[in-house]
Amino acid sequence: MQPNDPIKRSRRNSGAVTVRDVAKIAGVAPITVSRAINHPETVSAELLRRVHDAVARTGYVPNLMAGSLSSSKSKLIAAVIPSTVFSVFTETIESLNNALFDAGYQLMLGQSQYLASREEALLGAVIGRRPDGIFLTGIMPPSNARKRLLASGIPVVETWDLTPTPIDMLIGFSHHKIGLAVADYFISKGYQRFASVRASDERADRRMSAFVERAAQQGLPPVQVINVGSERTLTRGRQALAEILENTTRVDAVFCSSDLLALGVLTEARARNIRIPDGLAVMGFGGVPIIENMIPALSTVQINSGKIGALAAEYLIARAEGRVVQMPTVDVGFSIHERDST
Amino acid sequence: MQPNDPIKRSRRNSGAVTVRDVAKIAGVAPITVSRAINHPETVSAELLRRVHDAVARTGYVPNLMAGSLSSSKSKLIAAVIPSTVFSVFTETIESLNNALFDAGYQLMLGQSQYLASREEALLGAVIGRRPDGIFLTGIMPPSNARKRLLASGIPVVETWDLTPTPIDMLIGFSHHKIGLAVADYFISKGYQRFASVRASDERADRRMSAFVERAAQQGLPPVQVINVGSERTLTRGRQALAEILENTTRVDAVFCSSDLLALGVLTEARARNIRIPDGLAVMGFGGVPIIENMIPALSTVQINSGKIGALAAEYLIARAEGRVVQMPTVDVGFSIHERDST
DNA sequence: ATGAAAGCGCTAACAA
DNA sequence: TTGTTAGCGCTTTCAT
C-alpha cells in the first residue's frame, strides 16, 4: 500500500492484498495468518484478534487458487449436465449446490451437449481445474473421456441411472424397471392399447424398450412409438398425440418420457375433447412440482431428484476429505404417483 | 513416472503429470510446452509436434489453477442466482454458460438465498476464486457486499433490472414500466377490476406498485393484492385466486408476478368454471416456453432471457480480455404477448 | 524461436 | 503456539 519499498514489489504483483500484507500489519508470519483463517483453533486468542483486525482493515480476501495449488484441495466440485434438458435436473443441481455450499465447496457447471467434439474440451476444462469431485448426470459409456476421467483419479459420482460398471460412485435408479412397472400399472387399470411419446436419449430408450417388451409379453397389441428427437417441448407433445391418433384411434394409454411431453399430450387431448382418464390415460416421468395440481393432475413416475443431489454432495465431500464411502452404489428407486390422468 | 529419481520428487508433489514431465519427454524447456499449448503459433512445427506427442503419451492435462495464479487470468466467470426461483433464470444461465464455454471460460454457480449471513460467505467464495467476471441476477443494493465487490475490481454485470447506479455493467429492463404497461393493456381491453398475485421480491414489488399506481390514476377501484411470500408454486397460485374470490367476485383481471402463479390462477379458474378471458383475464410474467401452447394459452410479459445471458457473456468476456464495453447499460425491454387468457 | 530465472499467493513440512 | 523454508505448477520477464 505504501510506496516506500520499491524493491519488494515486483512487476508481477497483481496489486491485491495478500497474506504477506496482512501478516506485516498484524506483526506475525504469513503462515500464522493462514492458520488464523483456516484453523483458528490452532492460534492463540491474541494473535487471532490481531489477524482479524488486519484482515478487516485491509479487506483481505484469500486467493483460493493459490491455496488450492499449494494444498492440492480445490474445494471445487464440477457438475456436468446435458443442457437441453436442464429443467429436469434443476432440483438435483439445486440441492447439490446447497449442500456443497454449506460445506464450503463451490460448484462449477459444465454443459455437455452430448457432442463428442465438445466433450473432449469440456473434460479438459473440468479436469484442468482439479476439482475435488465430479458430478455426472447420467452414466458415462466406455470412451476416451471415460478413460481420462478414470486416469485423473478424481472422485466421480454418476447419477440418474444404474450400471454394473460405474466409474466410481453411482446414485440412480433402474429405467428398465420403470418401463416394466408402468406397463404393469396400465394393465392393472385395464388399459390395453399403448403408445409412447419419447425423446431421443439413452435412458428414455431403456424405459421405453422395457415398456414395449412387457406389453408384448402380455400379448397386447404393438406399442405405437413417437420419437420426438430432441424437441422436448409441450408443443411437440401435442403434435405427438395428433400423430398417434392419425394412425389409429384405438389407443388408450400413453407413457411419455417426460412430464413436459405428457403435459402436451394432455393438452392435445383436451383440445380434442378426449376424456381423461377414461378415453385416454397419460403417464409422465420426472415428477416436476407443477403437474400435481393442474387439471387434470398428471400421473407420473416420480424421481426423488433432490435426494440424488444431496446424496451426491455427501459422497463427494466424504471422498474429498479422505473418508470412505460405504455404499458407493445407491438405487434411490422411483414411485408411480397416480393422479387424475390415469 | 519412473522411480529412478528419488531426489527430484519432493513429498509435496501431487503425482500428476506436469509441464516439467512433458518437457523432459519432448526434450524442450517447460516454457516451450506452455507456449505450444497456449500460443502454438509462436512455436516451430517440429517442436510443436514433439510436444503434442509427449502430451498424448503422458495424458497431460494442464493445471489451470497454477496457470491462473501465474497469469492472473482465471478464465472463470461466477454467476450468483437466487436459488428459489432458479427456473425463471434457467434460460439466462444456459445461454450464458454456452457462450462462455465457446470462448473457453467456465461458469461457477453460487446460490444466494437473499440471506445476509450467507451473502458474506458467498461473496468471499466468489471473490476468493478470482473470477474474471461476475454475473449477478438482480441488482445489488448498497451494502457491505456491494463495497467488497467494488473493491475487488472484478468486472460485474447486474441483470434483470435497471438502476441509475449500477456497480459496473447492467443488462435489464424496467419493472416499473411493465406494471404500467400491463395496467394500460388491461384497461385497453375493457377490464376494470384488477387483482394481483405476487411473490415477495423487490422486482415483483416494483412491477406491482406501478400496476396499482396506474389503476388508481385511472380512477379504477383499488387493486386487490395477494402476496404469496416465497411460495412461488402453481398450487399457491390456485389458492390465491380462491382468496381473491372469497373477498369479492368482482374481479376481472389478474396480473401475476410469475408464469407459474398465473398458471395456478388459470387452473383454479377452470376448477370454478370461470370463463377465460371473458370472466377473468390473466397475465403472467417471464415467458417460459411451456405456457404458449397450453389451453388456454397464457398471456404474459415476455422477457428475452436468453439474450440477457448471451449479452452478459459478451460483455464479461470483453472486459476480461481488456476490451472496453461501449454500452455498459442496456435495456433489453419486454413485450406483452397476448394469448387466450386476455 | 527458445530458454533461464523468478515469481504468482498460498500452505505442507519441519524446526524451534 | 509460532516461525522458516521450500515448494504447488504454471507463465511473465528478460536473455539469447
Side-chain angles (χ1 to χ4, degrees), chain A residues 12 61-62 64-65 70 74-75 83 86 94 97 102 106-107 109 111 118 125 128-130 235 238 267 270 293-295, chain B residues 12 61-62 64 68 70 74-75 83 86 94 97 102 106-107 109 111 118 125 128-130 235 238 267 270 293-295:
Chain A
R12 290 191 69 183
V61 180
L64 298 179
M65 288 191 314
S70 181
S74 65
K75 290 271 181 176
S83 78
F86 198 116
E94 206 168 301
N97 200 4
D102 290 338
Q106 254 62 60
L107 218 220
L109 211 58
Q111 287 172 213
R118 271 201 155 199
R129 297 271 175 204
R130 301 294 191 266
T235 308
R238 288 191 65 165
T267 304
R270 185 133 79 91
N293 273 295
M294 301 198 70
I295 301 177
Chain B
R12 291 192 67 184
V61 180
L64 298 178
S68 298
S70 184
S74 65
K75 290 269 179 178
S83 76
F86 200 116
E94 205 169 301
N97 200 2
D102 291 338
Q106 253 65 59
L107 217 218
L109 211 59
Q111 286 173 212
R118 272 201 156 200
R129 297 272 174 202
R130 302 294 190 263
T235 307
R238 287 190 67 163
T267 302
R270 184 132 81 89
N293 273 295
M294 301 197 70
I295 299 177

Short mmCIF file of all heavy atoms in Angstrom, two decimals, chain A residues 12 61-62 64-65 70 74-75 83 86 94 97 102 106-107 109 111 118 125 128-130 235 238 267 270 293-295, chain B residues 12 61-62 64 68 70 74-75 83 86 94 97 102 106-107 109 111 118 125 128-130 235 238 267 270 293-295:
data_model
loop_
_atom_site.label_atom_id
_atom_site.label_comp_id
_atom_site.label_asym_id
_atom_site.label_seq_id
_atom_site.Cartn_x
_atom_site.Cartn_y
_atom_site.Cartn_z
N ARG A 12 5.26 -8.24 -11.25
CA ARG A 12 4.22 -9.24 -11.47
C ARG A 12 3.11 -9.14 -10.45
O ARG A 12 2.03 -9.63 -10.66
CB ARG A 12 4.84 -10.64 -11.41
CG ARG A 12 5.73 -10.91 -12.60
CD ARG A 12 6.12 -12.36 -12.65
NE ARG A 12 4.96 -13.19 -12.96
CZ ARG A 12 5.03 -14.51 -13.01
NH1 ARG A 12 6.15 -15.13 -12.72
NH2 ARG A 12 3.97 -15.22 -13.31
N VAL A 61 -9.11 -10.73 1.00
CA VAL A 61 -9.87 -11.93 0.61
C VAL A 61 -8.85 -12.95 0.10
O VAL A 61 -8.20 -12.72 -0.91
CB VAL A 61 -10.88 -11.63 -0.52
CG1 VAL A 61 -11.63 -12.89 -0.91
CG2 VAL A 61 -11.84 -10.54 -0.10
N PRO A 62 -8.69 -14.06 0.82
CA PRO A 62 -7.66 -15.03 0.45
C PRO A 62 -7.83 -15.50 -1.00
O PRO A 62 -8.94 -15.68 -1.48
CB PRO A 62 -7.92 -16.21 1.40
CG PRO A 62 -8.67 -15.63 2.54
CD PRO A 62 -9.46 -14.48 1.98
N LEU A 64 -8.07 -18.19 -3.25
CA LEU A 64 -8.32 -19.63 -3.10
C LEU A 64 -7.56 -20.46 -4.12
O LEU A 64 -7.29 -21.64 -3.89
CB LEU A 64 -9.81 -19.91 -3.21
CG LEU A 64 -10.70 -19.25 -2.14
CD1 LEU A 64 -12.16 -19.57 -2.37
CD2 LEU A 64 -10.28 -19.71 -0.76
N MET A 65 -7.25 -19.86 -5.27
CA MET A 65 -6.49 -20.63 -6.26
C MET A 65 -5.09 -20.92 -5.76
O MET A 65 -4.59 -22.03 -5.91
CB MET A 65 -6.41 -19.85 -7.57
CG MET A 65 -7.72 -19.80 -8.31
SD MET A 65 -7.50 -19.17 -9.98
CE MET A 65 -6.45 -17.77 -9.68
N SER A 70 -1.43 -24.94 -3.54
CA SER A 70 -0.49 -25.34 -2.50
C SER A 70 -0.95 -26.58 -1.73
O SER A 70 -0.16 -27.44 -1.38
CB SER A 70 -0.30 -24.17 -1.54
OG SER A 70 0.62 -24.50 -0.55
N SER A 74 -9.05 -28.28 -3.86
CA SER A 74 -9.62 -27.11 -4.54
C SER A 74 -10.94 -26.64 -3.94
O SER A 74 -11.37 -25.53 -4.21
CB SER A 74 -9.82 -27.42 -6.02
OG SER A 74 -10.80 -28.44 -6.17
N LYS A 75 -11.60 -27.49 -3.16
CA LYS A 75 -12.93 -27.13 -2.64
C LYS A 75 -13.87 -26.76 -3.79
O LYS A 75 -14.72 -25.88 -3.67
CB LYS A 75 -12.82 -25.94 -1.66
CG LYS A 75 -12.14 -26.32 -0.36
CD LYS A 75 -13.16 -26.83 0.64
CE LYS A 75 -12.52 -27.20 1.97
NZ LYS A 75 -13.54 -27.59 2.95
N SER A 83 -27.33 -29.83 -21.46
CA SER A 83 -28.02 -28.54 -21.37
C SER A 83 -29.47 -28.58 -21.82
O SER A 83 -30.30 -27.87 -21.30
CB SER A 83 -27.28 -27.50 -22.19
OG SER A 83 -27.56 -27.68 -23.55
N PHE A 86 -32.09 -29.18 -19.07
CA PHE A 86 -31.70 -28.56 -17.83
C PHE A 86 -32.81 -28.70 -16.78
O PHE A 86 -32.56 -29.11 -15.65
CB PHE A 86 -31.44 -27.08 -18.08
CG PHE A 86 -30.64 -26.41 -17.02
CD1 PHE A 86 -29.39 -25.90 -17.32
CD2 PHE A 86 -31.12 -26.29 -15.73
CE1 PHE A 86 -28.64 -25.27 -16.34
CE2 PHE A 86 -30.38 -25.67 -14.75
CZ PHE A 86 -29.14 -25.16 -15.06
N GLU A 94 -29.79 -27.96 -7.71
CA GLU A 94 -30.02 -27.01 -6.62
C GLU A 94 -29.69 -27.62 -5.26
O GLU A 94 -29.04 -26.99 -4.43
CB GLU A 94 -31.47 -26.55 -6.67
CG GLU A 94 -31.66 -25.19 -6.06
CD GLU A 94 -33.04 -24.62 -6.37
OE1 GLU A 94 -33.37 -24.46 -7.56
OE2 GLU A 94 -33.77 -24.36 -5.41
N ASN A 97 -25.91 -28.10 -5.01
CA ASN A 97 -25.21 -26.84 -4.78
C ASN A 97 -25.40 -26.35 -3.34
O ASN A 97 -24.45 -25.87 -2.71
CB ASN A 97 -25.71 -25.79 -5.77
CG ASN A 97 -24.73 -24.65 -5.94
OD1 ASN A 97 -23.64 -24.66 -5.36
ND2 ASN A 97 -25.10 -23.65 -6.72
N ASP A 102 -22.89 -25.30 1.92
CA ASP A 102 -22.88 -25.40 3.38
C ASP A 102 -21.59 -26.04 3.89
O ASP A 102 -21.16 -25.80 5.00
CB ASP A 102 -24.07 -26.22 3.86
CG ASP A 102 -25.38 -25.45 3.65
OD1 ASP A 102 -25.32 -24.21 3.54
OD2 ASP A 102 -26.44 -26.10 3.59
N GLN A 106 -17.56 -25.08 -3.76
CA GLN A 106 -18.18 -24.35 -4.85
C GLN A 106 -18.55 -25.31 -5.97
O GLN A 106 -17.94 -26.36 -6.13
CB GLN A 106 -17.21 -23.32 -5.43
CG GLN A 106 -17.54 -21.90 -5.04
CD GLN A 106 -17.46 -21.71 -3.57
OE1 GLN A 106 -16.42 -21.91 -2.99
NE2 GLN A 106 -18.55 -21.35 -2.93
N LEU A 107 -19.54 -24.92 -6.75
CA LEU A 107 -19.98 -25.73 -7.88
C LEU A 107 -19.56 -25.09 -9.19
O LEU A 107 -19.78 -23.90 -9.41
CB LEU A 107 -21.51 -25.83 -7.88
CG LEU A 107 -22.25 -27.09 -8.25
CD1 LEU A 107 -23.47 -26.80 -9.07
CD2 LEU A 107 -21.38 -28.10 -8.94
N LEU A 109 -20.12 -25.47 -13.27
CA LEU A 109 -21.13 -26.08 -14.12
C LEU A 109 -20.62 -26.27 -15.53
O LEU A 109 -20.13 -25.34 -16.16
CB LEU A 109 -22.34 -25.15 -14.17
CG LEU A 109 -23.70 -25.79 -14.33
CD1 LEU A 109 -23.94 -26.77 -13.19
CD2 LEU A 109 -24.76 -24.71 -14.34
N GLN A 111 -21.82 -27.77 -19.36
CA GLN A 111 -22.93 -28.31 -20.12
C GLN A 111 -22.43 -29.12 -21.30
O GLN A 111 -21.90 -28.60 -22.26
CB GLN A 111 -23.85 -27.19 -20.60
CG GLN A 111 -24.66 -26.60 -19.47
CD GLN A 111 -25.44 -25.37 -19.85
OE1 GLN A 111 -25.62 -24.47 -19.03
NE2 GLN A 111 -25.91 -25.32 -21.09
N ARG A 118 -17.40 -31.56 -28.27
CA ARG A 118 -17.41 -30.70 -27.10
C ARG A 118 -16.96 -31.43 -25.86
O ARG A 118 -16.45 -30.85 -24.92
CB ARG A 118 -18.83 -30.19 -26.86
CG ARG A 118 -19.14 -28.91 -27.58
CD ARG A 118 -20.31 -28.25 -26.90
NE ARG A 118 -20.31 -26.82 -27.12
CZ ARG A 118 -20.97 -25.97 -26.36
NH1 ARG A 118 -21.65 -26.40 -25.33
NH2 ARG A 118 -20.92 -24.69 -26.61
N ALA A 125 -11.43 -28.93 -19.56
CA ALA A 125 -11.72 -27.78 -18.72
C ALA A 125 -12.01 -28.24 -17.29
O ALA A 125 -11.57 -27.62 -16.33
CB ALA A 125 -12.91 -27.00 -19.28
N GLY A 128 -8.86 -29.93 -15.74
CA GLY A 128 -7.84 -28.90 -15.61
C GLY A 128 -7.98 -28.06 -14.36
O GLY A 128 -7.00 -27.56 -13.82
N ARG A 129 -9.21 -27.90 -13.90
CA ARG A 129 -9.41 -27.12 -12.68
C ARG A 129 -9.11 -27.93 -11.42
O ARG A 129 -9.24 -27.43 -10.31
CB ARG A 129 -10.86 -26.62 -12.57
CG ARG A 129 -11.31 -25.70 -13.64
CD ARG A 129 -11.04 -24.25 -13.33
NE ARG A 129 -11.41 -23.47 -14.51
CZ ARG A 129 -10.92 -22.28 -14.81
NH1 ARG A 129 -10.06 -21.70 -14.02
NH2 ARG A 129 -11.28 -21.67 -15.90
N ARG A 130 -8.83 -29.17 -11.59
CA ARG A 130 -8.53 -30.05 -10.45
C ARG A 130 -9.62 -30.00 -9.38
O ARG A 130 -9.34 -29.71 -8.20
CB ARG A 130 -7.19 -29.66 -9.82
CG ARG A 130 -5.99 -29.73 -10.77
CD ARG A 130 -5.68 -31.14 -11.23
NE ARG A 130 -4.40 -31.22 -11.92
CZ ARG A 130 -4.24 -31.15 -13.25
NH1 ARG A 130 -5.30 -31.01 -14.04
NH2 ARG A 130 -3.05 -31.26 -13.79
N THR A 235 -45.36 -28.35 -26.90
CA THR A 235 -45.93 -28.29 -28.24
C THR A 235 -45.69 -29.59 -29.01
O THR A 235 -46.59 -30.11 -29.68
CB THR A 235 -45.28 -27.12 -29.02
OG1 THR A 235 -45.38 -25.95 -28.22
CG2 THR A 235 -45.97 -26.92 -30.35
N ARG A 238 -48.00 -32.24 -27.93
CA ARG A 238 -49.32 -32.10 -28.55
C ARG A 238 -49.32 -32.75 -29.93
O ARG A 238 -50.20 -33.55 -30.27
CB ARG A 238 -49.70 -30.62 -28.69
CG ARG A 238 -50.04 -29.94 -27.39
CD ARG A 238 -50.65 -28.57 -27.60
NE ARG A 238 -51.95 -28.65 -28.27
CZ ARG A 238 -52.83 -27.66 -28.32
NH1 ARG A 238 -52.56 -26.49 -27.75
NH2 ARG A 238 -53.98 -27.81 -28.94
N THR A 267 -52.80 -31.77 -23.11
CA THR A 267 -53.35 -30.56 -23.71
C THR A 267 -54.05 -30.88 -25.03
O THR A 267 -55.16 -30.42 -25.29
CB THR A 267 -52.23 -29.53 -23.96
OG1 THR A 267 -51.57 -29.27 -22.73
CG2 THR A 267 -52.79 -28.25 -24.53
N ARG A 270 -57.28 -32.53 -24.54
CA ARG A 270 -58.34 -31.60 -24.18
C ARG A 270 -58.86 -30.87 -25.40
O ARG A 270 -60.08 -30.67 -25.57
CB ARG A 270 -57.83 -30.58 -23.16
CG ARG A 270 -58.92 -29.67 -22.67
CD ARG A 270 -58.89 -29.53 -21.17
NE ARG A 270 -57.86 -28.60 -20.79
CZ ARG A 270 -58.09 -27.29 -20.63
NH1 ARG A 270 -59.30 -26.80 -20.82
NH2 ARG A 270 -57.12 -26.51 -20.28
N ASN A 293 -50.99 -30.24 -9.32
CA ASN A 293 -52.23 -29.54 -9.04
C ASN A 293 -52.85 -28.91 -10.26
O ASN A 293 -53.63 -27.97 -10.17
CB ASN A 293 -52.02 -28.49 -7.96
CG ASN A 293 -52.20 -29.08 -6.59
OD1 ASN A 293 -53.29 -29.51 -6.25
ND2 ASN A 293 -51.12 -29.16 -5.84
N MET A 294 -52.47 -29.42 -11.41
CA MET A 294 -53.13 -28.94 -12.62
C MET A 294 -54.42 -29.72 -12.77
O MET A 294 -54.70 -30.66 -12.04
CB MET A 294 -52.23 -29.18 -13.82
CG MET A 294 -50.89 -28.48 -13.68
SD MET A 294 -50.07 -28.32 -15.25
CE MET A 294 -51.11 -27.12 -16.04
N ILE A 295 -55.22 -29.33 -13.75
CA ILE A 295 -56.45 -30.07 -14.03
C ILE A 295 -56.39 -30.56 -15.47
O ILE A 295 -56.31 -29.75 -16.37
CB ILE A 295 -57.68 -29.16 -13.85
CG1 ILE A 295 -57.72 -28.62 -12.43
CG2 ILE A 295 -58.95 -29.93 -14.18
CD1 ILE A 295 -58.88 -27.66 -12.21
N ARG B 12 5.78 -33.16 -1.60
CA ARG B 12 4.56 -32.38 -1.86
C ARG B 12 3.99 -32.66 -3.24
O ARG B 12 2.84 -32.41 -3.50
CB ARG B 12 4.87 -30.90 -1.73
CG ARG B 12 5.17 -30.51 -0.31
CD ARG B 12 5.19 -29.02 -0.13
NE ARG B 12 3.88 -28.42 -0.33
CZ ARG B 12 3.67 -27.12 -0.30
NH1 ARG B 12 4.67 -26.29 -0.13
NH2 ARG B 12 2.47 -26.63 -0.46
N VAL B 61 -2.83 -33.07 -18.59
CA VAL B 61 -3.90 -32.06 -18.56
C VAL B 61 -3.38 -30.89 -17.75
O VAL B 61 -3.13 -31.02 -16.55
CB VAL B 61 -5.17 -32.61 -17.90
CG1 VAL B 61 -6.26 -31.54 -17.88
CG2 VAL B 61 -5.67 -33.85 -18.61
N PRO B 62 -3.17 -29.74 -18.40
CA PRO B 62 -2.59 -28.60 -17.69
C PRO B 62 -3.38 -28.23 -16.45
O PRO B 62 -4.61 -28.29 -16.45
CB PRO B 62 -2.67 -27.46 -18.72
CG PRO B 62 -2.80 -28.14 -20.04
CD PRO B 62 -3.49 -29.44 -19.79
N LEU B 64 -5.03 -25.73 -14.55
CA LEU B 64 -5.47 -24.37 -14.85
C LEU B 64 -5.34 -23.44 -13.65
O LEU B 64 -5.22 -22.23 -13.81
CB LEU B 64 -6.92 -24.39 -15.33
CG LEU B 64 -7.17 -25.18 -16.62
CD1 LEU B 64 -8.64 -25.16 -16.98
CD2 LEU B 64 -6.35 -24.58 -17.76
N SER B 68 -3.63 -19.95 -13.83
CA SER B 68 -4.36 -18.74 -13.44
C SER B 68 -3.56 -17.93 -12.43
O SER B 68 -3.48 -16.71 -12.51
CB SER B 68 -5.70 -19.12 -12.81
OG SER B 68 -6.49 -19.81 -13.75
N SER B 70 -0.47 -17.80 -12.01
CA SER B 70 0.68 -17.18 -12.64
C SER B 70 0.30 -16.03 -13.56
O SER B 70 0.97 -15.01 -13.62
CB SER B 70 1.46 -18.24 -13.40
OG SER B 70 2.62 -17.70 -13.94
N SER B 74 -8.19 -16.11 -14.76
CA SER B 74 -8.73 -17.38 -14.30
C SER B 74 -9.60 -18.09 -15.32
O SER B 74 -9.86 -19.28 -15.20
CB SER B 74 -9.54 -17.17 -13.03
OG SER B 74 -10.67 -16.38 -13.30
N LYS B 75 -10.07 -17.36 -16.33
CA LYS B 75 -11.00 -17.95 -17.31
C LYS B 75 -12.21 -18.54 -16.60
O LYS B 75 -12.74 -19.57 -17.01
CB LYS B 75 -10.28 -19.04 -18.13
CG LYS B 75 -9.23 -18.47 -19.08
CD LYS B 75 -9.85 -18.18 -20.42
CE LYS B 75 -8.85 -17.58 -21.42
NZ LYS B 75 -9.50 -17.36 -22.72
N SER B 83 -31.66 -19.00 -5.42
CA SER B 83 -31.99 -20.39 -5.70
C SER B 83 -33.47 -20.68 -5.84
O SER B 83 -33.89 -21.52 -6.60
CB SER B 83 -31.42 -21.29 -4.61
OG SER B 83 -32.22 -21.20 -3.47
N PHE B 86 -34.94 -20.50 -9.39
CA PHE B 86 -34.00 -20.99 -10.37
C PHE B 86 -34.62 -21.03 -11.77
O PHE B 86 -34.07 -20.52 -12.74
CB PHE B 86 -33.58 -22.41 -9.99
CG PHE B 86 -32.29 -22.86 -10.61
CD1 PHE B 86 -31.19 -23.14 -9.82
CD2 PHE B 86 -32.19 -22.98 -11.98
CE1 PHE B 86 -30.00 -23.55 -10.39
CE2 PHE B 86 -31.01 -23.40 -12.55
CZ PHE B 86 -29.91 -23.69 -11.76
N GLU B 94 -28.32 -20.77 -18.99
CA GLU B 94 -27.92 -21.71 -20.04
C GLU B 94 -27.23 -20.99 -21.19
O GLU B 94 -26.21 -21.43 -21.70
CB GLU B 94 -29.15 -22.47 -20.52
CG GLU B 94 -28.81 -23.81 -21.11
CD GLU B 94 -30.07 -24.64 -21.33
OE1 GLU B 94 -30.78 -24.90 -20.35
OE2 GLU B 94 -30.30 -25.03 -22.48
N ASN B 97 -23.81 -19.74 -20.04
CA ASN B 97 -22.83 -20.81 -19.94
C ASN B 97 -22.36 -21.27 -21.32
O ASN B 97 -21.17 -21.50 -21.54
CB ASN B 97 -23.43 -22.00 -19.17
CG ASN B 97 -22.37 -22.92 -18.61
OD1 ASN B 97 -21.17 -22.66 -18.75
ND2 ASN B 97 -22.79 -23.98 -17.96
N ASP B 102 -17.90 -21.56 -25.21
CA ASP B 102 -17.35 -21.40 -26.56
C ASP B 102 -16.12 -20.50 -26.56
O ASP B 102 -15.28 -20.59 -27.44
CB ASP B 102 -18.42 -20.84 -27.50
CG ASP B 102 -19.53 -21.85 -27.77
OD1 ASP B 102 -19.27 -23.06 -27.59
OD2 ASP B 102 -20.64 -21.45 -28.14
N GLN B 106 -15.20 -20.95 -17.96
CA GLN B 106 -16.03 -21.84 -17.15
C GLN B 106 -16.98 -21.01 -16.28
O GLN B 106 -16.68 -19.86 -15.95
CB GLN B 106 -15.15 -22.67 -16.22
CG GLN B 106 -15.04 -24.11 -16.64
CD GLN B 106 -14.35 -24.22 -17.97
OE1 GLN B 106 -13.22 -23.79 -18.10
NE2 GLN B 106 -15.02 -24.78 -18.95
N LEU B 107 -18.06 -21.63 -15.92
CA LEU B 107 -19.06 -20.98 -15.07
C LEU B 107 -19.04 -21.56 -13.67
O LEU B 107 -19.07 -22.77 -13.49
CB LEU B 107 -20.45 -21.20 -15.66
CG LEU B 107 -21.52 -20.10 -15.61
CD1 LEU B 107 -22.88 -20.67 -15.35
CD2 LEU B 107 -21.21 -18.98 -14.69
N LEU B 109 -21.17 -21.48 -10.10
CA LEU B 109 -22.52 -21.11 -9.72
C LEU B 109 -22.63 -20.88 -8.23
O LEU B 109 -22.26 -21.73 -7.43
CB LEU B 109 -23.44 -22.27 -10.11
CG LEU B 109 -24.86 -21.92 -10.50
CD1 LEU B 109 -24.85 -20.97 -11.68
CD2 LEU B 109 -25.60 -23.20 -10.86
N GLN B 111 -25.48 -19.82 -5.21
CA GLN B 111 -26.88 -19.55 -4.95
C GLN B 111 -27.03 -18.71 -3.72
O GLN B 111 -26.79 -19.16 -2.61
CB GLN B 111 -27.65 -20.87 -4.81
CG GLN B 111 -27.85 -21.54 -6.15
CD GLN B 111 -28.47 -22.91 -6.06
OE1 GLN B 111 -28.18 -23.78 -6.87
NE2 GLN B 111 -29.36 -23.10 -5.10
N ARG B 118 -25.55 -15.57 4.57
CA ARG B 118 -24.95 -16.36 3.50
C ARG B 118 -24.24 -15.49 2.48
O ARG B 118 -23.31 -15.91 1.82
CB ARG B 118 -26.05 -17.14 2.77
CG ARG B 118 -26.35 -18.48 3.37
CD ARG B 118 -27.02 -19.32 2.34
NE ARG B 118 -26.84 -20.72 2.60
CZ ARG B 118 -26.99 -21.67 1.69
NH1 ARG B 118 -27.32 -21.36 0.46
NH2 ARG B 118 -26.82 -22.92 1.99
N ALA B 125 -16.38 -16.59 -1.16
CA ALA B 125 -16.09 -17.73 -2.01
C ALA B 125 -15.91 -17.29 -3.46
O ALA B 125 -15.04 -17.77 -4.18
CB ALA B 125 -17.21 -18.75 -1.91
N GLY B 128 -12.82 -14.91 -3.79
CA GLY B 128 -11.64 -15.70 -3.48
C GLY B 128 -11.13 -16.52 -4.66
O GLY B 128 -9.94 -16.79 -4.77
N ARG B 129 -12.04 -16.91 -5.53
CA ARG B 129 -11.60 -17.67 -6.72
C ARG B 129 -11.02 -16.76 -7.79
O ARG B 129 -10.62 -17.23 -8.85
CB ARG B 129 -12.77 -18.42 -7.35
CG ARG B 129 -13.40 -19.47 -6.48
CD ARG B 129 -12.73 -20.81 -6.62
NE ARG B 129 -13.34 -21.69 -5.61
CZ ARG B 129 -12.77 -22.78 -5.13
NH1 ARG B 129 -11.59 -23.16 -5.55
NH2 ARG B 129 -13.37 -23.49 -4.22
N ARG B 130 -11.07 -15.49 -7.57
CA ARG B 130 -10.56 -14.52 -8.53
C ARG B 130 -11.12 -14.75 -9.94
O ARG B 130 -10.37 -14.92 -10.89
CB ARG B 130 -9.04 -14.57 -8.60
CG ARG B 130 -8.31 -14.32 -7.28
CD ARG B 130 -8.51 -12.90 -6.78
NE ARG B 130 -7.63 -12.61 -5.66
CZ ARG B 130 -7.97 -12.68 -4.37
NH1 ARG B 130 -9.18 -13.08 -4.02
NH2 ARG B 130 -7.10 -12.34 -3.44
N THR B 235 -49.68 -24.35 -7.04
CA THR B 235 -50.69 -24.59 -6.01
C THR B 235 -51.04 -23.31 -5.26
O THR B 235 -52.20 -23.00 -5.03
CB THR B 235 -50.15 -25.63 -5.01
OG1 THR B 235 -49.72 -26.76 -5.74
CG2 THR B 235 -51.22 -26.03 -4.03
N ARG B 238 -53.27 -21.13 -7.23
CA ARG B 238 -54.66 -21.56 -7.16
C ARG B 238 -55.32 -21.00 -5.90
O ARG B 238 -56.39 -20.40 -5.95
CB ARG B 238 -54.74 -23.10 -7.11
CG ARG B 238 -54.44 -23.77 -8.42
CD ARG B 238 -54.77 -25.26 -8.38
NE ARG B 238 -56.22 -25.46 -8.26
CZ ARG B 238 -56.83 -26.63 -8.53
NH1 ARG B 238 -56.13 -27.67 -8.93
NH2 ARG B 238 -58.12 -26.72 -8.40
N THR B 267 -55.68 -22.37 -13.47
CA THR B 267 -56.16 -23.69 -13.07
C THR B 267 -57.36 -23.58 -12.13
O THR B 267 -58.37 -24.26 -12.30
CB THR B 267 -55.03 -24.47 -12.37
OG1 THR B 267 -53.92 -24.55 -13.26
CG2 THR B 267 -55.48 -25.88 -12.01
N ARG B 270 -60.43 -22.60 -13.86
CA ARG B 270 -61.05 -23.71 -14.56
C ARG B 270 -61.84 -24.58 -13.59
O ARG B 270 -62.95 -25.02 -13.89
CB ARG B 270 -60.00 -24.56 -15.27
CG ARG B 270 -60.61 -25.67 -16.09
CD ARG B 270 -60.01 -25.69 -17.46
NE ARG B 270 -58.74 -26.38 -17.41
CZ ARG B 270 -58.61 -27.69 -17.58
NH1 ARG B 270 -59.66 -28.44 -17.82
NH2 ARG B 270 -57.42 -28.24 -17.54
N ASN B 293 -48.58 -22.95 -25.52
CA ASN B 293 -49.45 -23.88 -26.21
C ASN B 293 -50.33 -24.67 -25.28
O ASN B 293 -50.84 -25.72 -25.62
CB ASN B 293 -48.63 -24.82 -27.08
CG ASN B 293 -48.38 -24.22 -28.44
OD1 ASN B 293 -49.32 -24.00 -29.19
ND2 ASN B 293 -47.14 -23.89 -28.71
N MET B 294 -50.53 -24.12 -24.10
CA MET B 294 -51.48 -24.77 -23.21
C MET B 294 -52.86 -24.27 -23.58
O MET B 294 -53.03 -23.37 -24.40
CB MET B 294 -51.15 -24.41 -21.77
CG MET B 294 -49.76 -24.83 -21.38
SD MET B 294 -49.54 -24.88 -19.60
CE MET B 294 -50.56 -26.27 -19.20
N ILE B 295 -53.87 -24.87 -22.95
CA ILE B 295 -55.24 -24.42 -23.19
C ILE B 295 -55.82 -23.99 -21.87
O ILE B 295 -55.93 -24.81 -20.95
CB ILE B 295 -56.10 -25.55 -23.78
CG1 ILE B 295 -55.51 -25.99 -25.12
CG2 ILE B 295 -57.53 -25.07 -23.97
CD1 ILE B 295 -56.25 -27.14 -25.74
#
